[in-house]
Amino acid sequence: MPFLQLESKRIHYTDLKPSSGNAPRETFIFHHGLGSSQNYYHAVALELQSHDFRCILFDTTGAGRSPYTYVEQSIETLSGDVIGILDALEVDKAVVVGHSMGGIVAANLAAERSDRVVATILIGPVYPSPAAGPVFAQRIQTVESSGMEAMANAIPSAATGAKASPVARAMIRELLLAQDPAGYISNCRIIVNAKRPNYEGIKVPVLILAGGEDKSAPLEGCRRMFGEMGATEEKRLEVLEGIGHWHCLEDWEDVARRILAFYHDIQ
């Protein structure tokens, strides 16, 4: 398995280059959310790859196959990891895609590192709020006492929409069961301590994909951040009806179609 060493972090990644052998039209880099891994995006990335895009997927530190370092992280350090991966793979600029917690990272990069960000796609992005504290404090307590089993038993049904298939829910369950509990707890703390990105400072094109039945990153929060992104002239908010918080597993084809349409329109 390919790994990158970013200082003390060992990051597992996948680099999908155009299957045609052509030079990439653009590079996408994908940041997953809490309790997930790069495999959340795999079907979407394969579709983009078939359209001559290069897709870089990775497991954030403490998730998937990237071991937890027992060093506390933040939205800023996770943003630094994205830049570190681009540097290591010699990518000058990329479209940054972020889901859930990764949506905070992607928004932060769009605001602070427009020199490296072509555009950003936020999928069910979390809007940082003090209200997250009690919710994630309870999750931390549950995982500390019972491991990931309780999360895996509850989230696949509670956090998906009407269109989610049993196979999609099974995949979500597997992603959760595969988490290092200590890494999951650390990522919970990242969300609790996350600062609001400088949405007003975003000047690159933005696509927000919101689940119509998303309870984890409700449509209200997506609309709020969309309204605060006043600096970019190319922004859109699209709602996926019948979809909860695991968009790329609940309806990967629609997500891929919307990403391709957005990219086509901003060119």
Side-chain angles (χ1 to χ4, degrees), residues 144-171:
E144 285 178 335
S145 62
S146 306
M148 292 303 301
E149 188 82 19
M151 296 293 103
N153 288 340
I155 289 174
S157 295
T160 54
K163 288 185 178 180
S165 71
V167 173
R169 292 190 174 107
M171 179 62 180

Side-chain angles (χ1 to χ4, degrees), residues 32-37 62-64 68 136 138-157 169-189 191 246:
H32 64 77
L34 174 69
S36 191
S37 83
Y68 179 46
F136 286 97
Q138 181 60 54
R139 284 200 188 189
I140 290 170
Q141 183 179 5
T142 299
V143 174
E144 285 178 335
S145 62
S146 306
M148 292 303 301
E149 188 82 19
M151 296 293 103
N153 288 340
I155 289 174
S157 295
R169 292 190 174 107
M171 179 62 180
I172 297 166
R173 176 177 167 78
E174 176 58 29
L175 288 172
L176 289 160
L177 284 173
Q179 297 294 305
D180 178 340
Y184 183 86
I185 289 169
S186 176
N187 284 323
C188 284
R189 287 195 290 265
I191 298 175
W246 295 77

Side-chain angles (χ1 to χ4, degrees), residues 65-262:
R65 285 153 297 279
S66 296
Y68 179 46
T69 63
Y70 290 87
V71 176
E72 284 298 291
Q73 302 297 316
S74 67
I75 295 301
E76 290 72 26
T77 65
L78 295 182
S79 297
D81 291 345
V82 174
I83 299 300
I85 293 168
L86 294 178
D87 287 344
L89 299 180
E90 300 182 338
V91 177
D92 181 42
K93 300 185 76 170
V95 178
V96 180
V97 185
H99 170 239
S100 191
M101 178 185 74
I104 311 176
V105 176
N108 181 64
L109 283 165
E112 307 299 333
R113 294 303 308 267
S114 60
D115 59 316
R116 305 298 298 273
V117 178
V118 173
T120 189
I121 298 168
L122 312 179
I123 303 176
V126 171
Y127 192 107
S129 167
V135 174
F136 286 97
Q138 181 60 54
R139 284 200 188 189
I140 290 170
Q141 183 179 5
T142 299
V143 174
E144 285 178 335
S145 62
S146 306
M148 292 303 301
E149 188 82 19
M151 296 293 103
N153 288 340
I155 289 174
S157 295
T160 54
K163 288 185 178 180
S165 71
V167 173
R169 292 190 174 107
M171 179 62 180
I172 297 166
R173 176 177 167 78
E174 176 58 29
L175 288 172
L176 289 160
L177 284 173
Q179 297 294 305
D180 178 340
Y184 183 86
I185 289 169
S186 176
N187 284 323
C188 284
R189 287 195 290 265
I190 291 175
I191 298 175
V192 171
N193 296 321
K195 299 176 183 177
R196 174 190 176 278
N198 179 22
Y199 296 118
E200 293 84 355
I202 296 176
K203 297 180 173 62
V204 299
V206 178
L207 170 64
I208 300 176
L209 296 179
E213 298 178 14
D214 190 341
K215 302 180 186 69
S216 301
L219 182 55
E220 177 185 358
C222 293
R223 285 175 172 157
R224 181 179 177 185
M225 71 177 71
F226 180 78
E228 293 170 354
M229 294 173 181
T232 177
E233 296 180 357
E234 296 178 301
K235 64 175 184 176
R236 63 178 66 172
L237 169 62
E238 299 180 4
V239 180
L240 284 62
E241 299 298 343
I243 300 301
H245 191 57
W246 295 77
H247 317 61
C248 294
L249 297 178
E250 295 180 61
D251 195 343
W252 70 267
E253 292 172 301
D254 193 25
V255 171
R257 178 183 62 80
R258 290 173 188 266
I259 290 175
L260 287 167
F262 171 69

